Amino acid sequence: MDTNQAVNTIREKLFALKDEKYASFSASLVPNVERERFIGVRTPQLRALAKELCGTEEARLFTAALPHYYQEENCLHGFLAERIKDEGELYAALDAFLPHVTNWAVCDLISPALFKKRQASLMPKIDEWLKSGDVYAVRFGLGMLMAHYLDAPYFTEEVLGRAAGVTSDEYYLKMMVAWLFATALAKQYDAALPYIKNRRLDAWTHNKAIQKAIELTKASGQQQIEPLHILKALLQENETICNFIFQKLGAGQPILKQAIDKEISMLPKVSGG
């Protein structure tokens, strides 16, 4: 079997699973990819196909045939890559593939199980991705930071410093930084709060992180980040619209802070490990 045969065989398998309505729906979520590049294969079917193909010569030839044309070919490639069990081979496969990723949907689906046990050796590789200058390699690096380094015992404040160091006008990078800090507010509130309190992020990312944090359903010590947590953070800043409004209303800041702290203390706690 040669490369063209492998690609065509896999493409036939993908088209056998197509769903036109699902293709249109998927295309609506990824506006920078043309509708004609969507076949319409659902994620469970792609995962099942990756499991079927993993380790075959067909898969080896297919993954070497870059770039792919169809969105689902890229998704399948990502699912094949995440099944690699050798660390060096996995890094090589990702380095070959990430420069050809053109959208968030493909980037964010890659979640190698191997990384859950490789935090020590993974971090230098994440640093490479963050410094690569390639939008989706950087986004992938941020995603791996968020997935593997926001929980004990691997979390350090340097993790947030790495994320804050990613400065770009690219929407999909700013959004990932905001998402990471929103998650950090949920998992590592005391460490993440100064980034909000002291406005260490650009204005758009700052605001988006607060918005996403309020939407999240978990927090360190509480079941979720409530608007009260964010209001408390904003009140701790001297130069905010919140303080300006409260001053105009004649509301005493110390009394407000005490009331907010009391309400936060009454929020449901998370118990257990």
Side-chain angles (χ1 to χ4, degrees), residues 82 107-119 122-123 126 129-130 138-155 159-160 163 176-177 179-184 187-188 218:
E82 71 178 21
C107 180
D108 294 0
L109 66 77
I110 308 169
S111 181
L114 184 67
F115 287 171
K116 295 177 182 179
K117 301 178 180 180
R118 296 291 190 277
Q119 279 85 354
L122 175 59
M123 186 60 85
I126 287 177
W129 289 323
L130 295 181
V138 176
R139 183 179 170 101
F140 181 73
L142 289 167
M144 293 304 98
L145 271 183
M146 182 167 64
H148 300 293
Y149 294 93
L150 290 184
D151 293 303
Y154 304 107
F155 175 76
V159 171
L160 301 182
M176 183 58 87
V177 173
W179 187 6
L180 187 150
F181 273 95
T183 306
K187 293 187 172 186
Q188 303 292 344
K218 292 182 180 179

Side-chain angles (χ1 to χ4, degrees), residues 24-270:
S24 296
F25 170 72
S26 298
S28 71
L29 301 177
V30 191
N32 63 319
V33 179
E34 301 91 335
R35 166 63 180 84
E36 67 187 32
R37 291 179 180 265
F38 287 82
I39 299 171
V41 184
R42 297 175 184 274
T43 298
Q45 295 172 309
L46 288 167
R47 287 190 180 277
L49 183 56
K51 182 178 180 179
E52 173 191 328
L53 293 170
C54 184
T56 65
E57 178 67 5
E58 192 176 4
R60 186 189 69 80
L61 292 170
F62 168 75
T63 54
L66 291 165
H68 303 302
Y69 182 78
Y70 290 103
Q71 173 79 351
E72 286 82 357
E73 289 177 324
N74 282 306
C75 293
L76 178 62
H77 191 137
F79 288 138
L80 285 167
E82 71 178 21
R83 298 182 70 87
I84 296 172
K85 296 181 179 179
D86 178 80
E87 189 172 9
E89 183 182 347
L90 175 56
Y91 290 151
L94 290 171
D95 285 342
F97 181 50
L98 287 172
H100 298 282
V101 172
T102 61
N103 61 85
W104 69 268
V106 173
C107 180
D108 294 0
L109 66 77
I110 308 169
S111 181
L114 184 67
F115 287 171
K116 295 177 182 179
K117 301 178 180 180
R118 296 291 190 277
Q119 279 85 354
S121 55
L122 175 59
M123 186 60 85
K125 193 63 186 177
I126 287 177
D127 286 336
E128 286 185 30
W129 289 323
L130 295 181
K131 296 174 183 177
S132 69
D134 180 87
V135 171
Y136 290 102
V138 176
R139 183 179 170 101
F140 181 73
L142 289 167
M144 293 304 98
L145 271 183
M146 182 167 64
H148 300 293
Y149 294 93
L150 290 184
D151 293 303
Y154 304 107
F155 175 76
T156 68
E157 293 192 12
E158 290 180 359
V159 171
L160 301 182
R162 283 177 165 89
V166 175
T167 56
S168 172
D169 290 331
E170 289 285 347
Y171 171 82
Y172 289 106
L173 291 185
K174 292 162 73 77
M175 179 61 79
M176 183 58 87
V177 173
W179 187 6
L180 187 150
F181 273 95
T183 306
L185 281 167
K187 293 187 172 186
Q188 303 292 344
Y189 182 75
D190 290 338
L193 181 60
Y195 285 87
I196 303 301
K197 179 181 175 183
N198 300 321
R199 294 187 173 269
R200 296 182 188 175
L201 307 174
D202 67 83
W204 188 94
T205 306
H206 173 97
N207 293 334
K208 185 61 68 172
I210 292 174
Q211 175 190 330
K212 291 295 182 183
I214 293 173
E215 293 171 0
L216 286 176
T217 58
K218 292 182 180 179
S220 177
Q222 271 80 33
Q223 291 181 341
Q224 63 180 10
I225 285 184
E226 298 284 349
L228 286 168
H229 290 105
I230 304 304
L231 179 57
K232 178 179 177 179
L234 293 176
L235 280 173
Q236 290 173 327
E237 301 180 52
N238 291 324
E239 301 297 329
T240 67
I241 189 65
C242 288
N243 283 316
F244 175 77
I245 292 172
F246 289 136
Q247 288 170 10
K248 288 294 183 182
L249 292 174
Q253 195 181 85
I255 295 175
L256 280 171
K257 287 182 178 180
Q258 289 176 11
I260 290 169
D261 285 338
K262 180 179 179 180
E263 292 297 321
I264 288 176
S265 71
M266 296 172 65
L267 292 173
K269 304 288 184 179
V270 172

